[in-house]
Amino acid sequence: MANVTGQGTLWNLPNYAGELFTADPINTPFLTAIGGLTGGMQTDNFEFPTDSQYSLPTATQPAITETASLTAPAATGIVRSQNTNVTQIFQEKVSISYVKLSNAKRMSGLNTAGQQNNVPDEKSWQIARALEKIARDVEYTFLNGVYAKATSADVANKTRGMIALCSDGNTIAAGSKKLTKANLQALFKKMYDAGAVFQNMVLWVGSTQKQIITDLYSYAPTDRNLGGTNIKQLETDFGNIGIALNRFMPQDTVLAAEMSVIAPVFQPVPGKGNFFYEALSKTGASEDGQIFGQIGLDHGPKFMHGTITGLTES
């Protein structure tokens, strides 16, 4: 069904009886795991640091004689660097005509005596759905977002997502082949060697790769009356790794994310907060308002995470 672009009226937002359902994904497990739209950090600058790093020289065995030790060696200094991400705007408008609001009992479709409008308060319902849409967009962005930093009022900030973060870090290209244990072991080793800590590592996957991982690690159940398996955690040489389904993950990608270093970053409007609803100026016979918020992803250092990309989707 097509959604309305623009103002909601009696004719393009008909009332129906019956329980409401949607086939669209409304769960946001990644966003929920890091605090949702209410928990996290705050900033008053659209650009914020995600991590500051330093590197030590390659470990070696010193060979310093007693004579040499009488003179201090040349001084060395450890240089630091900084990585950043940005918040971006999420904004939705709700507009409903007075005529629509005053016709809550006018029903469309099949109606039987005694049935009620399944949306008795159109304004509240539309606001709730707008927030639901924003949460979905944030979830998608935190996983799939491509980074861009605004340079003027006409250029949009776009926060960097997890998959893009890993694209020049710990990543393995599968070459359109099926996921294997060797792929996963190679990724975990690469991440460990790069410095990943495996403190709260979670493997984020879509439905295709979840089924493949279950097949890869399943064994026959001991109960003859029990069939099927659901692998929820992998025990590896580097630590335990949880497995989480996410409908916004690309079906050809597996993401290993160290959740302990990830958080949402909010940029509230002074005196209003973040992701707030406010009424807009009236231009006619309608209720008009907007939801506005700014949020970005603090993903921590990229060496903590990893991906396998280009997997077959069959």
Side-chain angles (χ1 to χ4, degrees):
M1 65 195 73
N3 290 317
V4 173
T5 299
Q7 193 169 76
T9 70
L10 173 64
W11 308 103
N12 60 20
L13 292 178
N15 299 320
Y16 293 104
E19 189 173 355
L20 277 168
F21 295 94
T22 180
D24 293 325
I26 57 175
N27 294 327
T28 54
F30 186 86
L31 177 60
T32 300
I34 60 175
L37 290 179
T38 57
M41 301 183 295
Q42 292 192 359
T43 181
D44 55 8
N45 182 346
F46 72 74
E47 188 173 17
F48 58 88
T50 59
D51 61 281
S52 185
Q53 297 184 32
Y54 65 90
S55 297
L56 296 172
T58 302
T60 60
Q61 180 181 11
I64 304 171
T65 66
E66 180 182 1
T67 301
S69 72
L70 299 176
T71 302
T76 60
I78 305 301
V79 178
R80 300 176 298 279
S81 63
Q82 186 186 66
N83 297 302
T84 64
N85 204 357
V86 295
T87 63
Q88 69 170 77
I89 295 170
F90 292 84
Q91 185 178 20
E92 296 291 333
K93 180 180 178 181
V94 173
S95 180
I96 307 168
S97 74
Y98 286 171
V99 172
K100 166 60 183 173
L101 292 173
S102 61
N103 276 275
K105 296 296 185 181
R106 181 178 176 85
M107 307 287 283
S108 298
L110 175 65
N111 290 285
T112 304
Q115 288 185 320
Q116 300 293 320
N117 181 1
N118 55 25
V119 179
D121 185 341
E122 188 70 40
K123 178 182 174 182
S124 296
W125 192 84
Q126 292 294 343
I127 292 172
R129 300 293 75 74
L131 283 167
E132 201 168 68
K133 179 183 182 301
I134 287 174
R136 281 164 44 91
D137 290 345
V138 172
E139 180 85 355
Y140 177 88
T141 300
F142 280 5
L143 293 172
N144 300 283
V146 178
Y147 175 80
K149 185 168 75 169
T151 54
S152 71
D154 296 326
V155 179
N157 277 316
K158 298 171 68 176
T159 202
R160 183 187 300 105
M162 295 300 301
I163 295 172
L165 173 71
C166 298
S167 62
D168 63 348
N170 298 322
T171 189
I172 293 175
S176 297
K177 295 182 179 178
K178 187 176 180 179
L179 181 66
T180 64
K181 282 186 180 180
N183 292 147
L184 292 167
Q185 289 172 335
L187 175 64
F188 301 152
K189 180 182 184 302
K190 186 171 187 176
M191 292 169 61
Y192 177 83
D193 291 344
V197 297
F198 290 84
Q199 179 179 326
N200 183 18
M201 191 70 68
V202 175
L203 210 60
W204 294 93
V205 292
S207 57
T208 298
Q209 304 310 324
K210 176 62 176 72
Q211 288 186 318
I212 292 173
I213 288 172
T214 292
D215 287 343
L216 289 175
Y217 288 90
S218 291
Y219 57 89
T222 56
D223 189 337
R224 290 177 177 270
N225 297 314
L226 178 66
T229 53
N230 176 20
I231 302 300
K232 297 181 179 179
Q233 180 174 284
L234 300 180
E235 185 168 347
T236 76
D237 295 308
F238 314 110
N240 292 335
I241 301 175
I243 301 173
L245 262 172
N246 193 305
R247 288 186 168 95
F248 295 97
M249 274 295 298
Q251 294 285 11
D252 66 346
T253 301
V254 168
L255 166 67
E258 176 51 57
M259 304 304 292
S260 66
V261 300
I262 302 173
V265 178
F266 300 95
Q267 189 173 6
V269 176
K272 294 181 181 292
N274 206 35
F275 291 109
F276 55 89
Y277 177 84
E278 65 177 0
L280 296 173
S281 300
K282 289 196 177 296
T283 58
S286 64
E287 285 283 349
D288 295 274
Q290 68 173 352
I291 298 170
F292 182 88
Q294 299 170 96
I295 188 173
L297 178 65
D298 182 351
H299 43 59
K302 66 181 178 183
F303 67 77
M304 290 283 194
H305 319 289
T307 54
I308 302 173
T309 61
L311 294 162
T312 180
E313 297 183 27
S314 61

